[in-house]
Amino acid sequence: MLKRILWFVASACTVLGQSESCNGHVELCARPYNNVSFACTHNSYSSPPPNALPVLNQENSIEQQLNDGIRAFMLDVVRNKPAAADGTSNILNTIASWFSRATETADDPLESVHLCHESCLLIDKGPLVDSLTVIREFMDANPREVITFIIENVSGFSPTDLQPSFEQSGIARYAFAPEFASQPSHSGYKWPTLNELIARNTRLVVFMDDKADVTLVPYILPEWEYVVEIPYANVNPVQEFPCNQDRPYDGVPRDLVVMNHFVYNRATIAGENIDTPISAKQVEEHAYNSLESLDKHWQTCRAVWGNRVLNFVTLDYYNIGDGAIFKLVDQINGVCA
């Protein structure tokens, strides 16, 4: 009898896979965007080359992440500091930028808006426009995939500084601009279904943590209007990942939840905590990315959030763990693997 049940489930998955799907599953098409879980990478751009840097968070490029099934990307935008006029590196300016957000307007946004980790001195993955072009090409070739960006505006850019990168890459044509107005409750918005986003070809949803202004760029949405994040500063070793609302600090729920499931090494120098990403080897040693660890975290979150969907399951080194991130996302969505 058990074999017959397993055969029926496998057959149903096969049939569903042959139909037009949304992010790989027919069942997701009729669900509102805020009722779907997506596999997400933390500092998605922060991958080799170069190797062995203490600020890496991924082993695979954004292109490979897309091919593997990652559908949400955390991106840090930082002002690329050019060399000084005498040819020397302006290291002092760069170090200063670690501790304060720059506010000046970029002269050439296409050249100055880079994907970097806190500072482009640490790791510089080049102009934002280059990575957006890679993602746009994937979206061109995969017209039934919905993608999300969660942008950390490290340098305090105006959204108009980012707009040229979106326009030049061609990805702006896919960007979702909501018709609903901001609400005092910060929740209860009528999000389109995945199928509606696909049908309208507005398959890219963009959030930014600071200085987003939809009156300037209607498709760069203020993250904290719609999204909450659970704690991200989890220090190695972690026995149990928390799931309380961390940001925004007002304790008011939003429509979307980021499940941060990654860990830092912490050193304390002169009373200041300095956190750096753990290595891929440490992720393996502690089995942080195992299905058991992810499922345990999900159960903790269910005790806090009830049956709400965890929308962005976010990992460092997502490729470690035998595909556990994708298995958990399928479990949350209640779909076949």
Side-chain angles (χ1 to χ4, degrees):
M1 182 64 177
L2 178 59
K3 289 184 178 179
R4 289 181 63 188
I5 293 173
L6 291 175
W7 175 87
F8 176 78
V9 172
S11 299
C13 290
T14 302
V15 171
L16 289 172
Q18 292 170 347
S19 304
E20 272 203 333
S21 62
C22 300
N23 281 40
H25 299 280
V26 172
E27 304 97 318
L28 300 182
C29 289
R31 295 188 193 174
Y33 172 78
N34 68 314
N35 200 32
V36 178
S37 184
F38 303 90
C40 179
T41 47
H42 173 230
N43 290 348
S44 311
Y45 58 89
S46 190
S47 63
N51 292 296
L53 285 177
V55 292
L56 296 179
N57 299 90
Q58 307 297 333
E59 290 185 318
N60 293 339
S61 67
I62 286 178
E63 182 178 16
Q64 186 61 53
Q65 292 173 38
L66 285 161
N67 292 334
D68 288 346
I70 298 298
R71 293 296 176 264
F73 301 85
M74 288 188 171
L75 306 172
D76 293 3
V77 289
V78 179
R79 179 169 281 104
N80 180 39
K81 300 286 187 179
D86 61 1
T88 61
S89 172
N90 54 359
I91 293 176
L92 292 178
N93 284 341
T94 303
I95 292 175
S97 74
W98 296 352
F99 302 99
S100 63
R101 294 188 173 214
T103 57
E104 69 270 19
T105 301
D107 294 328
D108 182 356
L110 288 176
E111 290 299 324
S112 62
V113 181
H114 278 222
L115 291 177
C116 304
H117 194 172
E118 292 297 327
S119 165
C120 294
L121 185 67
L122 297 175
I123 183 170
D124 185 352
K125 300 308 289 188
L128 171 65
V129 65
D130 292 349
S131 291
L132 295 188
T133 300
V134 170
I135 299 169
R136 190 266 302 158
E137 290 171 349
F138 175 87
M139 296 184 75
D140 288 348
N142 297 272
R144 299 198 63 81
E145 297 295 325
V146 175
I147 304 294
T148 300
F149 295 161
I150 301 174
I151 298 175
E152 182 177 350
N153 190 4
V154 176
S155 289
F157 290 111
S158 164
T160 57
D161 292 331
L162 273 58
Q163 188 175 19
S165 296
F166 279 81
E167 300 291 341
Q168 181 69 24
S169 66
I171 205 169
R173 65 174 175 263
Y174 292 129
F176 167 71
E179 297 177 355
F180 43 71
S182 175
Q183 299 181 25
S185 65
H186 303 298
S187 62
Y189 293 102
K190 186 172 175 55
W191 294 91
T193 66
L194 292 199
N195 201 48
E196 288 170 337
L197 290 171
I198 290 167
R200 298 168 187 166
N201 218 14
T202 55
R203 300 179 285 118
L204 175 67
V205 183
V206 181
F207 300 105
M208 188 163 72
D209 69 336
D210 185 38
K211 290 187 166 54
D213 185 341
V214 294
T215 66
L216 297 176
V217 182
Y219 54 78
I220 297 181
L221 311 183
E223 179 183 2
W224 308 128
E225 177 63 31
Y226 307 108
V227 182
V228 300
E229 294 197 19
I230 68 172
Y232 66 93
N234 303 299
V235 179
N236 190 50
V238 174
Q239 301 302 321
E240 183 172 335
F241 286 88
C243 208
N244 55 291
Q245 179 172 327
D246 183 44
R247 298 179 295 172
Y249 304 115
D250 57 16
V252 178
R254 270 67 166 172
D255 281 349
L256 297 142
V257 181
V258 174
M259 174 180 154
N260 290 316
H261 189 89
F262 48 84
V263 180
Y264 291 93
N265 289 317
R266 173 168 291 177
T268 302
I269 301 175
E272 294 291 329
N273 292 329
I274 299 175
D275 293 347
T276 57
I278 66 172
S279 66
K281 182 179 180 181
Q282 287 176 296
V283 172
E284 288 187 286
E285 288 175 345
H286 292 277
Y288 287 134
N289 289 2
S290 67
L291 185 57
E292 180 181 3
S293 176
L294 285 166
D295 185 69
K296 182 180 178 182
H297 195 181
W298 180 34
Q299 298 307 323
T300 299
C301 289
R302 292 183 74 176
V304 176
W305 297 96
N307 291 325
R308 284 196 56 179
V309 169
L310 300 177
N311 302 99
F312 306 107
V313 179
T314 308
L315 267 63
D316 285 341
Y317 302 108
Y318 76 96
N319 56 303
I320 296 173
D322 195 27
I325 184 173
F326 304 110
K327 295 173 184 176
L328 181 71
V329 165
D330 285 345
Q331 286 182 32
I332 294 173
N333 285 329
V335 299
C336 302

